[in-house]
Amino acid sequence: KQWYQRRVAITAGKVEELGKEYECTNYEWNADDTKFVANEAMTKCKSLKSTEQNLCNKPGAEAKVEADFTKLNVGCGPCEDPAQKTAEKCAETNSAVSMTALLLPLIAAIYALF
């Protein structure tokens, strides 16, 4: 017999199967610098199999004080408060886009060396 563990999440009272794992940056408020800073360690997240969206939330351009940004799930998923998103105090990013933005300059630099 083969045994496996099905991973599920309960959203809005509905059980949904989890999809792929992805990573998001976790931001913390730094009281000394009075701004949000990214932790070095990435947060491991799981998408829902029904949507496969790899969304991350982070402080937006207008998040100037700690109360401006409500962090959700240690950076995983969309912004919790639509008003914060509209006011640019919370921003949503796609995990795949974030990785591409980091990898393209690295590939270009390596290519330039040879």
Side-chain angles (χ1 to χ4, degrees), residues 35-75:
K35 66 178 183 178
F36 287 95
V37 293
N39 288 339
E40 288 184 28
M42 301 290 283
T43 301
K44 293 191 183 298
C45 311
K46 283 282 205 177
S47 64
L48 294 175
K49 197 166 189 172
S50 61
T51 62
E52 294 296 331
Q53 291 182 351
N54 295 344
L55 291 178
C56 303
N57 63 79
K58 67 177 192 169
E62 296 300 318
K64 307 291 184 195
V65 296
E66 186 175 11
D68 283 346
F69 171 63
T70 305
K71 181 171 54 173
L72 179 66
N73 298 324
V74 198

Side-chain angles (χ1 to χ4, degrees), residues 6-110:
R6 176 173 278 183
R7 297 172 187 220
V8 296
I10 300 174
T11 54
K14 181 175 140 186
V15 176
E16 296 189 56
E17 189 172 353
L18 296 176
K20 297 178 183 175
E21 187 173 277
Y22 65 99
E23 293 184 334
C24 289
T25 304
N26 180 23
Y27 290 84
E28 297 288 338
W29 178 255
N30 184 316
D32 295 333
D33 295 335
T34 62
K35 66 178 183 178
F36 287 95
V37 293
N39 288 339
E40 288 184 28
M42 301 290 283
T43 301
K44 293 191 183 298
C45 311
K46 283 282 205 177
S47 64
L48 294 175
K49 197 166 189 172
S50 61
T51 62
E52 294 296 331
Q53 291 182 351
N54 295 344
L55 291 178
C56 303
N57 63 79
K58 67 177 192 169
E62 296 300 318
K64 307 291 184 195
V65 296
E66 186 175 11
D68 283 346
F69 171 63
T70 305
K71 181 171 54 173
L72 179 66
N73 298 324
V74 198
C76 299
C79 295
E80 181 176 38
D81 185 353
Q84 285 186 358
K85 185 177 175 185
T86 303
E88 296 184 13
K89 294 181 178 185
C90 181
E92 295 175 355
T93 60
N94 185 317
S95 178
V97 172
S98 300
M99 288 301 284
T100 303
L102 294 174
L103 291 176
L104 286 178
L106 179 63
I107 292 169
I110 292 171

